Amino acid sequence: MLLKNCKVLLSNKKGFELEDVDIRIQDARIEEIAPTLEPLSGERVENINDNLVIPGLINAHTHAPMIIFRGYADDMPFEEWLFGKILPAEMELTDEIVYWSTLLACVEMIKTGTTSFVDMYSNTDAMAEAVERIGMRGFITKGLTDADGGGNERLEKNISLLRKWNDSDRIKIGFGPHSPYTCSPDYLKEIVSKVREEDSFLTIHLFESAKERETVKETFGVEETRMLDESGIYDVPCIAAHCVYVNDEDMLALARENVSVVHDPSSNMKLANGIAPVVEMQSKGINVCFGTDGAASNNSLNLWNELRMTALVHKVITRDPTVMSAPQVLKMATENGAKALGMADSLGRIGKDMLADLVVLDLNAISFHPPNDIVSD
């Protein structure tokens, strides 16, 4: 495929620069970028008409099938929302419901510029089937807990799923320990061991609510920070969602090379859990990217909402209008997300040999006028 007449955002150390180019794609990768490229024999040509081409956005934390619960449990405390409404409702889900719900969620993400996402849920084989059909890039994990004695069975199903989808170009299966308050210390260690054995990754909810540390201490008799460190989760590829209530010791651990934090501002605000100290995290070298969380706790899978929210709310929190610039926030949704996926060398930027996960934005839209600063717009 040849994309003609593109305005492209090319990444540099200062942010982005806008260039007018053509893009040649071969075998799902960018083969050539130049001001003018002539079509090859038999090549499909798409005229982009001077619209903007950017890397596909990366949603690093969601629960796609939860789109079926959009608006189901609004305006209630986190614990009541999760344990009183969502978990009981999820017990009624079937493979068929999860399959069609995942397709619906993928459509919403595609239409709002997301091409890759990280997910944790149940009925994960049905999810993978949906992602394979629709053409997105999915990093799918099975939610793991041992709170009801079914932890070993879930873990074995997770491993079977991983081996089934090993050969997929667009689907990668990881491990999804739900949280420190639903996974015992020994179970977390077992999951980490399997992550190492399978050369995989894990994603987990961390420090999401104000009561979490207290719950972990009461349930397992150990401090959460110590429990996480001793489990080894920071020593394997780890995508940590939320991280609202982190202390200095936690941030030191999260600053490791293979750990990424996912900022989910809309979900954290809807459930009144607070806002993660992202500015401080980034100053300590932590890789921070974006997630919407599930539509049950956000009402939307539109990642642009999270970008805008982040660019504004942290200026208020820090009383500093210079933090969270538009280029910085856009890189969090692209380059930082690619790093979280372990794909920084092939995703998140536009360049030769990069995967052609591209999004076209209509520059004729009213929101881009006047075009003083396209990234800010």
Side-chain angles (χ1 to χ4, degrees), residues 256-316:
R256 299 182 195 183
E257 179 64 25
N258 57 349
V259 179
S260 294
V261 168
V262 189
H263 190 32
D264 309 273
S266 293
S267 173
N268 294 151
M269 293 169 74
K270 175 178 175 177
L271 296 172
N273 279 329
I275 294 293
V278 172
V279 175
E280 186 177 1
M281 287 185 192
Q282 292 184 325
S283 73
K284 295 181 184 298
I286 297 172
N287 182 56
V288 184
C289 49
F290 279 116
T292 57
D293 211 342
S297 62
N298 184 320
N299 296 63
S300 171
L301 298 178
N302 184 344
L303 205 62
W304 293 110
N305 293 339
E306 311 309 310
L307 273 70
R308 176 175 171 78
M309 194 80 68
T310 295
L312 297 176
V313 73
H314 291 282
K315 297 180 190 299
V316 174

Side-chain angles (χ1 to χ4, degrees), residues 173-189:
I173 304 299
F175 294 80
H178 176 268
S179 63
Y181 55 87
T182 58
C183 293
S184 67
D186 287 342
Y187 192 51
L188 278 180
K189 290 177 184 177

Side-chain angles (χ1 to χ4, degrees), residues 137-243:
R137 201 173 299 282
F139 293 72
I140 300 170
T141 71
K142 184 174 183 62
L144 301 172
T145 74
D146 63 344
D148 56 5
N152 289 335
E153 181 182 355
R154 294 188 187 98
L155 191 52
E156 288 304 316
K157 286 182 178 179
N158 199 143
I159 294 169
S160 297
L161 185 73
L162 185 151
R163 292 174 181 167
K164 175 180 178 179
W165 291 95
N166 260 351
D167 296 329
S168 173
D169 291 333
R170 292 182 288 97
I171 296 172
K172 185 173 182 180
I173 304 299
F175 294 80
H178 176 268
S179 63
Y181 55 87
T182 58
C183 293
S184 67
D186 287 342
Y187 192 51
L188 278 180
K189 290 177 184 177
E190 186 176 0
I191 293 169
V192 169
S193 175
K194 296 300 181 183
V195 172
R196 288 197 182 99
E197 287 178 17
E198 303 293 341
D199 190 24
S200 188
F201 73 97
L202 67 80
T203 185
I204 185 170
H205 302 90
L206 283 189
F207 307 113
E208 183 176 4
S209 71
K211 294 183 179 179
E212 184 172 311
R213 289 183 192 274
E214 179 183 340
T215 301
V216 170
K217 180 70 172 177
E218 290 178 351
T219 304
F220 301 114
V222 63
E223 294 292 342
E224 183 173 10
T225 298
R226 177 185 168 189
M227 172 184 174
L228 294 169
D229 186 59
E230 292 180 350
S231 72
I233 72 161
Y234 298 133
D235 299 323
V236 296
C238 172
I239 302 171
H242 303 299
C243 295

Side-chain angles (χ1 to χ4, degrees), residues 11-239:
S11 177
N12 58 35
K13 290 183 179 180
K14 294 182 179 179
F16 296 92
E17 57 186 78
L18 190 64
E19 292 195 9
D20 296 311
V21 297
D22 295 342
I23 302 174
R24 172 164 284 123
I25 299 169
Q26 180 70 34
D27 297 327
R29 290 186 180 269
I30 297 172
E31 185 177 81
E32 194 174 2
I33 300 177
T36 303
L37 294 173
E38 295 301 322
L40 302 176
S41 176
E43 188 170 48
R44 175 183 165 191
V45 179
E46 292 284 348
N47 186 359
I48 303 303
N49 295 312
D50 292 322
N51 283 313
L52 184 66
V53 180
I54 67 169
L57 304 183
I58 296 169
N59 186 344
H61 179 66
T62 190
H63 310 282
M66 290 183 80
I67 196 166
I68 200 170
F69 302 129
R70 186 185 346 239
Y72 163 64
D74 289 350
D75 308 318
M76 60 180 59
F78 174 68
E79 285 76 15
E80 180 182 348
W81 173 86
L82 179 61
F83 297 108
K85 291 290 187 178
I86 297 301
L87 291 180
E90 287 178 332
M91 297 297 291
E92 305 300 320
L93 295 178
T94 64
D95 283 349
E96 184 177 11
I97 293 171
V98 166
Y99 174 80
W100 290 107
S101 298
T102 300
L103 284 179
L104 178 61
C106 287
V107 169
E108 182 170 343
M109 286 191 276
I110 290 169
K111 288 179 70 67
T112 53
T114 292
T115 56
S116 302
F117 70 102
V118 179
D119 207 284
M120 177 201 295
Y121 214 61
S122 60
N123 307 78
T124 36
D125 196 35
M127 286 190 62
E129 295 283 357
V131 174
E132 178 73 8
R133 176 179 177 182
I134 205 163
M136 288 185 75
R137 201 173 299 282
F139 293 72
I140 300 170
T141 71
K142 184 174 183 62
L144 301 172
T145 74
D146 63 344
D148 56 5
N152 289 335
E153 181 182 355
R154 294 188 187 98
L155 191 52
E156 288 304 316
K157 286 182 178 179
N158 199 143
I159 294 169
S160 297
L161 185 73
L162 185 151
R163 292 174 181 167
K164 175 180 178 179
W165 291 95
N166 260 351
D167 296 329
S168 173
D169 291 333
R170 292 182 288 97
I171 296 172
K172 185 173 182 180
I173 304 299
F175 294 80
H178 176 268
S179 63
Y181 55 87
T182 58
C183 293
S184 67
D186 287 342
Y187 192 51
L188 278 180
K189 290 177 184 177
E190 186 176 0
I191 293 169
V192 169
S193 175
K194 296 300 181 183
V195 172
R196 288 197 182 99
E197 287 178 17
E198 303 293 341
D199 190 24
S200 188
F201 73 97
L202 67 80
T203 185
I204 185 170
H205 302 90
L206 283 189
F207 307 113
E208 183 176 4
S209 71
K211 294 183 179 179
E212 184 172 311
R213 289 183 192 274
E214 179 183 340
T215 301
V216 170
K217 180 70 172 177
E218 290 178 351
T219 304
F220 301 114
V222 63
E223 294 292 342
E224 183 173 10
T225 298
R226 177 185 168 189
M227 172 184 174
L228 294 169
D229 186 59
E230 292 180 350
S231 72
I233 72 161
Y234 298 133
D235 299 323
V236 296
C238 172
I239 302 171

